[in-house]
Amino acid sequence: MEDNRGIPARKNATLKDVAEACGLSVAAVSRYLNHSIKLPQSTTDRIDAAIAALNYRPNPHARSLSLGRSETIGLVVPDIANPYFAHLAAAVEQAAAEYGLGLLLCPTLSRTDRELDYLGRLSRQHVDGLLFVTNNGDDPALARALLGAKTVVLVDDDIDGTTAPTIMADSEQGGRLATALLIEQGHRSLAYVGGPQGLSSSRSRLRGFRRAIAESGQTIAIAAELHGPYSSAHGRIAAEQLLALDPVPTALFAASDEIALGVLSVFKQRGVKVGVDISVIAFDDVGPLELFDPPLTAIRQPVNAMGRRAVQIVLALINGEALLPATELLPVELIIRNSVKPPNR
Amino acid sequence: MEDNRGIPARKNATLKDVAEACGLSVAAVSRYLNHSIKLPQSTTDRIDAAIAALNYRPNPHARSLSLGRSETIGLVVPDIANPYFAHLAAAVEQAAAEYGLGLLLCPTLSRTDRELDYLGRLSRQHVDGLLFVTNNGDDPALARALLGAKTVVLVDDDIDGTTAPTIMADSEQGGRLATALLIEQGHRSLAYVGGPQGLSSSRSRLRGFRRAIAESGQTIAIAAELHGPYSSAHGRIAAEQLLALDPVPTALFAASDEIALGVLSVFKQRGVKVGVDISVIAFDDVGPLELFDPPLTAIRQPVNAMGRRAVQIVLALINGEALLPATELLPVELIIRNSVKPPNR
DNA sequence: CTGAAAGCGCTTACAG
DNA sequence: CTGAAAGCGCTTACAG
């Protein structure tokens, strides 16, 4: 029993130190720690005491090397500064921690080379699994690289030509709900300001948009269907385009919060009153939309549920459990605020 | 030379495989890879070819175990879903990647036990260094644990009684700039809605607030100095308190974006017009404040510079370089928008 | 059940 | 300069 208060340990205790301290073999202690052995209470007490006295904690690298896994997963996202991904990361980390997994952050800035690089880390067992969010789902090189990866779950979007399990929000239903609200409020000239044309998430939101129109039984003009990155820059460009239209549509559905931000900033700048001159509904609902001018109506993505579910599935994959259904769609929710009003023309 | 297109490698190539493939010892290849040897061009070509053919990549755990370091740092933050920390994480990750360091995400939800746990991971060499953001800087247990940690840099706030290098924004200057703007616009009754009283960041912002008042040469009433967590919940409570005052102050300085969000939501709910009934200035400037109603004036923290600088310093610490000045203050910036106007009473 | 020993895949002090 | 070998700290198949 050593007295080590205050003084930083000269050297970390190893399993060997613990074993010696209580007169056992390292194997016995290791087995005890990994719950693969049953020992008499008196012995386990001795081990616990030695661990406490020596302040022993296993070296994770030795463990990883020996085990061939790291008990760490990676979260591959385009940009962690984006509030949507930040929320996703928080949800993922929390779920991962509950399952004893560490989380390595892998932001790609949407660069395919970085995405491939992180996939490489997976095969080197740097991480045991990867939660993969990409805006390059239409890149064949990515799809090819993904084929060899057995413990990847796609989040938020799928990738053409892969069979990896996928967790997504029900984007089509979201697009449908959003558009139905616009129609219900009386709008008859609508625009879709979408994400990248190649991405399934944006295609689904567009499908929902069209479907709500078809289902309405009304004569609705589709003033525009615009595509581009899920960015505020794209939102700004789209807003300019819409304002140049004649007539300007009376309502628009923006496929992400970020796009809506860009749209709103142009409208604000040009004096276009949201909810009066034009109604706007967004998709994601992660920003402080309730504080916007006016508070923004949006479709809320189930970020927490998606993060948690993705962790569960990657863990099942890591443990070699039976294949799960290829794609899971999680329900979205309509959050009504003040940016959708009946048209005033 | 193997043909492995399409087929996932049966097993990852090791250094031994590479060495055998080109008739060298593992030591030679290892040294070459670590740049601690000079080999003839013909030899290095052979090695490079073998590495490419076998698709060799070093096993990071073996390397870490052998080296006693992991080339990974951890970022300890209260909550990654908070936009301020999300931006910080993005900046840190980018800088870390440039220096070849991985980034492990360590969110604490401000729980001291989790903070201590992450500190433990550091001593187990799970990570080589830690960038540490905490709201518990006044907790003596934390300070004690930090004493033994040689490769920690404190970010954003310091911890009482530690000597760890610290990177912070110049909060006092920020508080001073913010308050000076309010005074300059004619306000004579001000409130400070601050962060936790025990935290140096909030104390500094308060110091700046008082200093600007003292320096103004005007007679200024300090209507309130409120303290609480850097959260929107605290902002909401504070807003209620301020509105209950008689007279209500004509302007307030909120010590974080989050606090401002809470304040604004109460004001919105109660019909208090920001910029008309009361002026508001925030601190952080990471949210889309320009889209708020009205666009929010704020002090901008140099998040990118802080993240980058913190990585540089932790790296210097890891490399055992000479101690650097204890605390670095990075300059803040006043971003004028529309939430501060002259008082109308 | 238990322990001695091999093995995970690297790095590097040491001897040639 | 170069290679054989030890060592990093675990886990676990194997033999007792």
Side-chain angles (χ1 to χ4, degrees):
Chain A
M1 198 76 75
E2 296 191 46
D3 179 3
N4 65 348
R5 59 194 132 100
I7 301 124
R10 300 155 306 283
K11 193 171 175 304
N12 286 327
T14 71
L15 203 53
K16 191 156 160 263
D17 298 326
V18 175
E20 282 171 3
C22 48
L24 291 170
S25 70
V26 292
V29 181
S30 171
R31 287 192 183 107
Y32 166 62
L33 257 20
N34 290 297
H35 307 290
S36 65
I37 200 182
K38 201 105 197 121
L39 291 174
Q41 169 90 40
S42 63
T43 310
T44 64
D45 284 352
R46 241 166 53 235
I47 299 179
D48 291 338
I51 288 175
L54 298 172
N55 187 26
Y56 169 75
R57 211 94 359 132
N59 177 314
H61 304 300
R63 191 176 153 83
S64 296
L65 181 59
S66 186
L67 244 29
R69 57 186 155 82
S70 59
E71 279 146 349
T72 299
I73 60 175
L75 174 64
V76 179
V77 285
D79 177 17
I80 187 67
N82 177 314
Y84 175 71
F85 298 126
H87 275 82
L88 185 64
V92 164
E93 197 284 336
Q94 196 172 338
E98 283 172 26
Y99 293 106
L101 297 172
L103 182 65
L104 200 69
L105 198 56
C106 311
T108 63
L109 304 174
S110 283
R111 284 169 39 189
T112 310
D113 59 331
R114 295 197 64 172
E115 295 178 330
L116 292 172
D117 183 54
Y118 288 126
L119 243 14
R121 294 202 197 187
L122 174 61
S123 75
R124 298 319 145 184
Q125 337 181 306
H126 194 157
V127 293
D128 297 339
L130 240 31
L131 269 33
F132 209 95
V133 187
T134 178
N135 288 331
N136 300 316
D138 48 350
D139 185 327
L142 236 194
R144 224 174 303 125
L146 233 20
L147 247 27
K150 295 303 171 211
T151 54
V152 172
V153 1
L154 267 26
V155 179
D156 206 42
D157 235 306
D158 60 9
I159 296 189
D160 303 339
T162 23
T163 54
T166 306
I167 308 295
M168 301 191 293
D170 190 342
S171 281
E172 175 164 351
Q173 175 66 358
R176 191 169 158 236
L177 287 174
T179 311
L181 176 68
L182 300 178
I183 296 171
E184 177 199 312
Q185 289 292 309
H187 294 278
R188 295 296 177 264
S189 168
L190 309 180
Y192 173 67
V193 184
Q197 198 152 15
L199 284 198
S200 83
S201 59
S202 182
R203 285 196 302 246
S204 298
R205 286 163 209 183
L206 176 57
R207 208 177 313 121
F209 174 78
R210 289 176 178 167
R211 186 166 154 210
I213 291 173
E215 289 173 347
S216 72
Q218 305 286 338
T219 309
I220 310 263
I222 296 184
E225 291 176 356
L226 271 19
H227 306 277
Y230 280 128
S231 70
S232 60
H234 164 51
R236 263 181 251 116
I237 295 168
E240 301 283 6
Q241 287 182 257
L242 294 182
L243 293 180
L245 255 34
D246 184 15
V248 173
T250 66
L252 71 88
F253 165 37
S256 82
D257 275 9
E258 284 293 316
I259 292 175
L261 296 198
V263 167
L264 293 187
S265 73
V266 167
F267 285 176
K268 169 153 275 180
Q269 189 179 309
R270 295 232 185 277
V272 176
K273 292 260 175 267
V274 171
V276 180
D277 303 323
I278 189 164
S279 286
V280 174
I281 182 165
F283 198 105
D284 283 343
D285 198 45
V286 291
L289 303 189
E290 68 282 3
L291 294 175
F292 284 15
D293 175 22
L296 206 60
T297 295
I299 301 294
R300 176 175 295 175
Q301 293 220 50
V303 203
N304 286 318
M306 287 168 65
R308 174 162 300 274
R309 191 70 190 121
V311 170
Q312 287 168 348
I313 293 183
V314 84
L315 202 56
L317 254 23
I318 293 170
N319 293 335
E321 289 175 22
L323 270 291
L324 298 116
T327 294
E328 285 186 32
L329 251 37
L330 268 36
V332 298
E333 196 183 345
L334 172 62
I335 306 294
I336 296 189
R337 298 201 183 85
N338 234 330
S339 61
V340 176
K341 296 281 174 188
N344 62 2
R345 355 163 199 146
Chain B
M1 199 78 76
E2 295 192 45
D3 178 2
N4 65 348
R5 58 193 132 103
I7 300 122
R10 300 154 308 283
K11 193 169 177 307
N12 286 327
T14 71
L15 203 53
K16 193 156 159 264
D17 298 326
V18 175
E20 281 170 5
C22 47
L24 292 170
S25 70
V26 292
V29 180
S30 172
R31 290 196 181 104
Y32 166 61
L33 258 22
N34 290 297
H35 309 290
S36 65
I37 200 182
K38 199 108 196 117
L39 291 174
Q41 169 92 39
S42 62
T43 311
T44 65
D45 284 352
R46 242 167 53 237
I47 299 179
D48 290 340
I51 287 176
L54 297 171
N55 188 26
Y56 169 75
R57 211 91 4 130
N59 178 315
H61 303 301
R63 193 176 151 80
S64 297
L65 180 59
S66 186
L67 245 29
R69 56 186 155 82
S70 58
E71 279 148 349
T72 299
I73 60 175
L75 174 64
V76 179
V77 285
D79 177 18
I80 187 68
N82 177 314
Y84 175 71
F85 298 126
H87 275 83
L88 185 64
V92 165
E93 196 284 336
Q94 197 172 337
E98 283 171 26
Y99 293 106
L101 297 171
L103 182 65
L104 199 69
L105 198 57
C106 310
T108 63
L109 304 173
S110 284
R111 284 169 39 189
T112 310
D113 58 330
R114 294 197 64 172
E115 296 178 329
L116 292 172
D117 183 54
Y118 288 125
L119 242 14
R121 293 202 196 187
L122 173 62
S123 74
R124 299 316 145 185
Q125 339 182 300
H126 195 158
V127 292
D128 297 339
L130 239 31
L131 269 32
F132 210 95
V133 187
T134 178
N135 289 330
N136 300 317
D138 48 350
D139 185 327
L142 236 192
R144 224 174 304 126
L146 234 18
L147 247 27
K150 295 301 171 214
T151 55
V152 172
V153 3
L154 267 26
V155 180
D156 206 41
D157 235 308
D158 61 8
I159 296 188
D160 302 338
T162 23
T163 53
T166 306
I167 307 296
M168 301 192 293
D170 190 342
S171 282
E172 176 165 351
Q173 174 67 357
R176 190 168 159 237
L177 286 173
T179 310
L181 176 70
L182 301 178
I183 296 172
E184 176 198 314
Q185 290 292 310
H187 294 279
R188 296 295 176 264
S189 167
L190 309 180
Y192 173 68
V193 184
Q197 197 152 14
L199 284 198
S200 82
S201 59
S202 182
R203 284 196 302 246
S204 299
R205 287 162 209 184
L206 177 56
R207 207 177 315 121
F209 174 78
R210 290 178 178 166
R211 186 166 154 210
I213 291 173
E215 288 172 347
S216 72
Q218 305 286 338
T219 308
I220 312 262
I222 296 184
E225 291 176 354
L226 272 18
H227 306 277
Y230 281 127
S231 70
S232 59
H234 165 51
R236 263 180 251 117
I237 295 169
E240 301 283 7
Q241 286 182 257
L242 294 183
L243 293 180
L245 256 33
D246 184 15
V248 173
T250 66
L252 71 89
F253 166 38
S256 81
D257 275 10
E258 284 294 315
I259 292 175
L261 297 196
V263 166
L264 293 187
S265 73
V266 166
F267 285 175
K268 170 153 273 181
Q269 190 180 307
R270 296 234 185 274
V272 176
K273 294 260 176 266
V274 171
V276 180
D277 303 323
I278 189 165
S279 285
V280 174
I281 182 164
F283 199 105
D284 283 345
D285 198 46
V286 292
L289 303 189
E290 68 282 3
L291 295 175
F292 284 14
D293 175 21
L296 206 61
T297 295
I299 300 293
R300 176 174 295 175
Q301 293 221 49
V303 202
N304 286 317
M306 286 168 65
R308 175 163 301 275
R309 191 69 191 122
V311 170
Q312 287 167 348
I313 292 182
V314 83
L315 203 56
L317 253 23
I318 292 170
N319 294 334
E321 290 174 25
L323 270 291
L324 299 114
T327 295
E328 285 186 32
L329 252 37
L330 268 37
V332 298
E333 196 182 345
L334 172 62
I335 306 293
I336 295 189
R337 298 202 183 84
N338 233 329
S339 61
V340 176
K341 296 279 173 188
N344 63 3
R345 7 165 189 137

